[in-house]
Amino acid sequence: MTDEVNPAPVDDGAADAPAGPVPLGVVRTATGHGEVDALLERLADADHLPADVHIEVYEDVHRGLRDALTALDAAPAPRPYDNRS
C-alpha cells in the first residue's frame, strides 16, 4: 500500500490581495426622462471603480438630479382650466 502525501498549499499572497471591484447588479429602471435616465446610467460607472472613487460618481449624479428637479420647479405649471369654451 502506498501512502500519497498531499503537498501543503502554496501561499502566493493572493488571499491577502484586495479583491477588485464587483458590480452590485442593481437594476436601474428607466424613468422616461432622458436626462434623468442618463444620470442613473452613470451610476453603473461606480461598478468598475474602486470604492474610494465612488463618491465622485455619486456626487456627480446627485448634482445632475438636483439640477433636473430645480429645472422642473422653474418651469411654469400647466393650467388645465384655462381652456374654456
Side-chain angles (χ1 to χ4, degrees), residues 6-68:
N6 293 326
V10 176
D11 183 10
D12 60 1
D16 297 333
V22 177
L24 296 175
V26 176
V27 177
R28 288 171 292 280
T29 304
T31 66
H33 188 278
E35 181 182 2
V36 171
D37 290 340
L39 288 163
L40 294 177
E41 283 301 315
R42 170 106 168 84
L43 290 173
D45 292 347
D47 284 345
H48 309 288
L49 298 170
D52 60 341
V53 185
H54 287 189
I55 191 71
E56 293 174 24
V57 174
Y58 297 151
E59 286 177 347
D60 181 48
V61 170
H62 181 256
R63 186 173 27 260
L65 291 172
R66 188 179 54 229
D67 291 347

